[in-house]
Amino acid sequence: MLLLSALAYTAWVLEVVLSTGLDPVQAYLSELAAEDQPLGGLFRATDLVAGLAVLAAAVLALTAFRGPVRARAGTGRWAVAGWAGLALFGAATAADSRLPLSCAPTSDEMCAARETAGLVPATHTAHAVTSSLAVLGALGGLTALTVAARRHGRWPPVRRYGPWLLGAELLATGWSLGAIAAFEAGHGTWALGAGQRLQVLLVALWLALLAAALRSGADTGVPAAVPAPAAVARARPSGERDPV
């Protein structure tokens, strides 16, 4: 599910070979899925798949935290928070695909004017809300699961490369937010499209890294249960005494 989500979340790279009519350096990534775009249906579908896939992965992982193991300190708390963040990211991304922009404001001056005047459908505002929730969920999930991996020695690929990807993601998010503020203030786009595409690409890479670390989903970050005393006694050679 995580690998499927990572692949679907990078479907925007198809704009390299497909004619979208949008400038990838300047245009909002969401504009690819706008209702007035010729390939909008395709990109809305891939966003929906990406969101539902990561949501399913997070829900499956969270079911592993039932029972007494969940009460164990450290890994459980951080991992539960991380998977919950990814669940929010997935749900918000899926909702995002169902609330597309009606037009492309960075390439259509009339669309930008209508948006400034508040004459666009309410889906523009709803889309901004779900997009913000998706970013918050992704950052929260990436942060918490990276902390869980480093603090408790789990998931070596995430422990090694996760902090670098997380740091780059924070920088890309700052770039995107600054560019959005500049565009809305009428100061140009500040390569808004490039910043958002980098932001999304880094999330997809982190999801793929987590998928590799989980080894086909066998490791969900739950610490191994402490063996029962009876089991330890059975495993000990018959002549060995308990240590004092």
Side-chain angles (χ1 to χ4, degrees):
M1 291 295 98
L2 289 171
L3 283 175
L4 176 60
S5 178
L7 288 172
Y9 207 48
T10 52
W12 54 269
V13 300
L14 292 174
E15 66 184 344
V16 175
V17 295
L18 299 176
S19 178
T20 64
L22 298 173
D23 183 353
V25 176
Q26 309 298 339
Y28 280 113
L29 194 55
S30 296
E31 292 181 59
L32 290 170
E35 291 181 329
D36 68 343
Q37 296 303 303
L39 298 175
L42 169 64
F43 293 110
R44 289 193 295 273
T46 54
D47 280 350
L48 179 62
V49 170
L52 292 179
V54 76
L55 176 60
V59 170
L60 287 171
L62 285 168
T63 60
F65 292 93
R66 293 176 180 173
V69 171
R70 183 175 182 176
R72 291 174 61 82
T75 301
R77 288 195 297 268
W78 282 107
V80 167
W83 287 114
L86 289 188
L88 173 61
F89 164 68
T93 299
D96 219 28
S97 71
R98 304 299 90 192
L99 298 166
L101 301 176
S102 63
C103 53
T106 63
S107 61
D108 183 345
E109 293 183 0
M110 291 297 295
C111 176
R114 291 199 305 272
E115 193 171 57
T116 301
L119 300 177
V120 291
T123 51
H124 281 240
T125 300
H127 185 88
V129 172
T130 53
S131 295
S132 299
L133 289 175
V135 171
L136 288 174
L139 289 176
L142 271 60
T143 301
L145 289 173
T146 299
V147 170
R150 291 186 64 82
R151 287 189 61 178
H152 302 284
R154 308 308 296 270
W155 314 322
V158 175
R159 193 167 68 246
R160 178 177 298 179
Y161 302 110
W164 295 99
L165 286 175
L166 177 59
E169 174 67 17
L170 290 172
L171 291 175
T173 300
W175 174 6
S176 297
L177 292 175
I180 291 172
F183 176 68
E184 292 181 347
H187 300 306
T189 61
W190 289 18
L192 167 61
Q196 282 198 328
R197 283 158 177 78
L198 177 60
Q199 183 183 16
V200 168
L201 177 61
L202 290 168
V203 171
L205 288 174
W206 197 95
L207 291 174
L209 185 71
L210 179 61
L214 293 179
R215 295 173 184 164
S216 301
D219 182 359
T220 55
V222 182
V226 177
V232 174
R234 285 195 300 270
R236 186 177 296 122
S238 57
E240 184 177 339
R241 297 174 59 86
D242 288 337
V244 176

